[in-house]
Amino acid sequence: MTSRKLLNDCFLTDKDRLSHEECLAILTGRLSAVAAIEELPLVETSGRWLAADIVAPRNVPLHDNSAVDGYAFQAPATGPMPVVMRIAAGDLGKYRLEPGQAARIFTGAPMPEGADTVAMQEDCTVDDDGDHVSVPLDLKRGANARRAGEDVAEGSAVLQESARLRPQDMAALASFGLPKVKVRAPVRVAILSNGDELLEPGAEISQGQVYDSNRAMLHALLGTLPCEITDLGILPDDASLIEATLAKTAQTHDVILTSGGASRGDEDHIINAIDRLGTRHLWQIAVKPGRPMSFGQIGDCVFLGLPGNPVAAFVCFLLYVRPALTVLGGGAYHEPVRFPVAAGFDVPRKKEGRREFWRGWLEPGPDGRPVAHKFARDGSGLISGLRQATGLIEITESVTSVAKGELVSFLPFTGFGIDS
Ligand code: AMP
Ligand code: MG
C-alpha cells in the first residue's frame, strides 16, 4: 500500500455555508501536490509547474560584449585612434587593447580587455586608409557595452519550485544552457456528465433533452492548465456501472470532475457512489452564480462536483476548480488579477452576505478610461452571457447596490488563462 498523498477527509468543515474566501482557503490550504515529477527536455516544459528551484549556473551574458556594431575603446577618447583589431560575434580569441587604440567590433562580440565603451558605427568617421577611427568625444564610459552577468548573475535565484513556466522563462532557462528541467507531470483528470436529459452532440434530439455542453467547455477550461484529460462521456443512470467506473477511475486519476446533479442527493447515482467509495461534502458557497458544489475523495483521488448550469459550472471552475488543480498539480496559487474600473450600469439591489460574479466586458468611457458593462440577463443557463463577456465583475459580500460610476473589480478572463 502506497502512502497517502492527500489528507484524510480534506474537505471536512463544520460550516453549513462557506464564504468565497473560506472555500478558497480550504482548497489551497488542505490540498497539496499529488502530480508526479518528471525531467523533460526544456522545450517540452512550457506551461508546466516547476518541481525544483532554479539557480543561475553561470553569468548571462557570460562575457562583456558589444551591444552594437562599431568601435570599442577605453573612454574617454581624445582624438582619432588606430584600429588594431577586428572582433566578430562568436570570436573566441583573446584580445587586448592599449589605451588610445580601437577595435572594430560587432554586436554580441566579446569586448577586448582594456576597452569599456563602444561607439556606434553610424557616429564614427574612418579615415581614407581605413586604419584610424574618430569616435564622439563625449560618449559616456560603458556606453553600448553589455556587462557579464548584467541580465542574470551566477548563483542568483531565478525561479522557484511551483512557478508556472512562461515563454520568457523558456528563454531564461535556455540562456543558462539547461537542456532539461524538472517539472510536475500533468494532473490526470477524468471528466464526466450525468443526467437523463443529456445527449452527446451529433445524436438526434427530442423535446426535453439538451446536448451536453459542459463537457466540451470543461475540456477547453482544463486545456488552460497542464492536465491530461480522460473523457468518460455521459454516464447512464446505472448505479452499479457508475460505482464500478468511479472506483476504477479513482485508482489511475488525480481528480474526477463532474457537472450536474451536485445538489440532488438521494436520486443521484454519482453522489451515492462517491459516498459509498469514499467521503463527500456538499458545500453551500455564498456565491452567485454557484449553487452548491460537492467536494470529496476516493482514496487519493479528489472528487470535484460542479453545478450543472453552464454559467455556474464555468464560474465555479474558474473560482474553485482551477485553484484546486493548481495546488494538486504542484503549482503556486495566485489570486486572479483584479482591476478597479467604473461601473457602466446601475444595480439598485444586491443581496448582502453573498459574493456575486457578473458576466462583463470593458468599453472606453467618455474620458477614454475603461468602463465595465454587465450582461443584462442573470440566468445561469445563458451561455450567450459567458460569450459576450471578457471577464467577471466581482461584487463583494457587504455591497448592497452599485451605482453608475462607482468602482467595481473586473477580473479579465485572461487572468484565468482564457484568451480572447
Ligand atoms: P443539475 O445540477 O443536474 O440540477 O442541473 C442544472 C441544470 O443544468 C439543468 O438544466 C441541467 O439540464 C443542466 N445541465 C446539467 N448538466 C449539463 C451539461 N453537462 N450540459 C448542459 N447542461 C447541463
Ligand atoms: Mg441533472
Side-chain angles (χ1 to χ4, degrees):
M1 176 102 189
T2 53
S3 62
R4 280 190 77 92
K5 294 185 195 163
L6 293 178
L7 293 172
N8 261 323
D9 213 357
C10 46
F11 300 111
L12 182 67
T13 162
D14 55 7
K15 298 219 156 112
D16 309 334
R17 199 174 138 90
L18 290 165
S19 70
H20 171 70
E21 297 291 350
E22 288 168 334
C23 185
L24 255 188
I26 295 179
L27 294 177
T28 57
R30 299 233 198 112
L31 296 177
S32 52
V34 299
I37 293 174
E38 56 188 4
E39 194 167 42
L40 292 180
L42 174 63
V43 294
E44 292 172 30
T45 62
S46 176
R48 294 287 194 93
W49 288 296
L50 262 182
D53 292 345
I54 304 266
V55 171
R58 53 181 62 85
N59 277 334
V60 180
L62 194 58
H63 48 259
D64 294 355
N65 69 95
S66 177
V68 296
D69 293 343
Y71 294 85
F73 61 99
Q74 172 106 51
T78 52
M81 292 176 282
V83 180
V84 299
M85 62 186 70
R86 183 181 189 281
I87 315 171
D91 230 325
L92 302 180
K94 278 238 171 270
Y95 297 96
R96 188 174 169 79
L97 280 187
E98 298 304 326
Q101 295 183 329
R104 178 73 170 121
I105 198 164
F106 299 91
T107 308
M111 291 287 282
E113 241 182 271
D116 54 18
T117 306
V118 183
M120 284 172 75
Q121 63 189 22
E122 297 88 324
D123 300 335
C124 298
T125 14
V126 180
D127 69 9
D128 291 342
D129 300 339
D131 54 8
H132 279 73
V133 66
S134 298
V135 303
L137 298 183
D138 56 352
L139 210 54
K140 267 223 293 248
R141 182 188 297 271
N144 303 316
R146 306 167 177 151
R147 309 293 304 184
E150 74 169 23
D151 188 3
V152 179
E154 178 179 336
S156 53
V158 180
L159 283 163
Q160 289 196 319
E161 182 198 346
S162 79
R164 186 123 190 243
L165 291 174
R166 305 165 302 162
Q168 55 270 53
D169 300 322
M170 297 285 102
L173 297 181
S175 79
F176 306 150
L178 297 178
K180 288 186 165 190
V181 185
K182 273 193 187 149
V183 290
R184 292 284 178 172
V187 185
R188 299 164 305 169
V189 185
I191 56 175
L192 64 98
S193 298
N194 179 243
D196 285 342
E197 75 280 26
L198 299 180
L199 209 62
E200 196 72 62
E204 186 94 30
I205 196 162
S206 329
Q207 294 292 326
Q209 296 184 303
V210 290
Y211 287 117
D212 176 1
S213 50
N214 287 349
R215 212 153 33 89
M217 180 174 79
L218 290 177
H219 261 282
L221 286 169
L222 289 167
T224 65
L225 292 171
C227 290
E228 189 182 284
I229 305 168
T230 304
D231 190 341
L232 299 176
I234 302 167
L235 283 197
D237 280 325
D238 172 336
S240 59
L241 174 74
I242 287 178
E243 187 164 334
T245 305
L246 293 185
K248 188 160 152 257
T249 303
Q251 284 174 18
T252 49
H253 290 79
D254 303 311
V255 175
I256 296 173
L257 177 62
T258 69
S259 67
S263 56
R264 275 200 329 217
D266 296 357
E267 325 135 49
D268 194 277
H269 297 304
I270 292 186
I271 293 305
N272 292 339
I274 308 274
D275 287 345
R276 278 196 296 275
L277 297 167
T279 54
R280 185 193 56 93
H281 304 281
L282 181 69
W283 289 0
Q284 302 290 340
I285 311 170
V287 159
K288 186 187 173 191
R291 306 244 317 263
M293 261 193 82
S294 286
F295 295 88
Q297 57 199 114
I298 303 173
D300 274 329
C301 180
V302 167
F303 170 75
L304 303 171
L306 287 164
N309 276 312
V311 174
F314 182 89
V315 172
C316 288
F317 182 97
L318 298 187
L319 298 181
Y320 309 116
V321 175
R322 200 165 201 279
L325 292 174
T326 299
V327 176
L328 290 168
Y333 172 68
H334 303 290
E335 280 286 314
V337 355
R338 291 165 159 85
F339 294 104
V341 292
F345 52 83
D346 286 299
V347 173
R349 265 189 307 281
K350 174 202 155 272
K351 192 169 161 185
E352 194 173 0
R354 183 166 78 181
R355 191 175 296 212
E356 302 199 358
F357 293 90
W358 300 335
R359 279 71 73 205
W361 63 93
L362 301 178
E363 281 175 24
D367 60 1
R369 293 181 202 219
V371 169
H373 293 268
K374 172 185 181 301
F375 189 68
R377 291 175 296 152
D378 250 0
S380 73
L382 302 174
I383 298 171
S384 42
L386 284 178
R387 294 197 51 251
Q388 173 120 10
T390 59
L392 299 173
I393 298 166
E394 179 185 46
I395 309 295
T396 51
E397 289 81 353
S398 60
V399 175
T400 54
S401 67
V402 178
K404 214 177 246 171
E406 280 179 7
L407 287 182
V408 291
S409 280
F410 186 77
L411 288 69
F413 287 149
T414 51
F416 299 97
I418 301 171
D419 290 334
S420 293

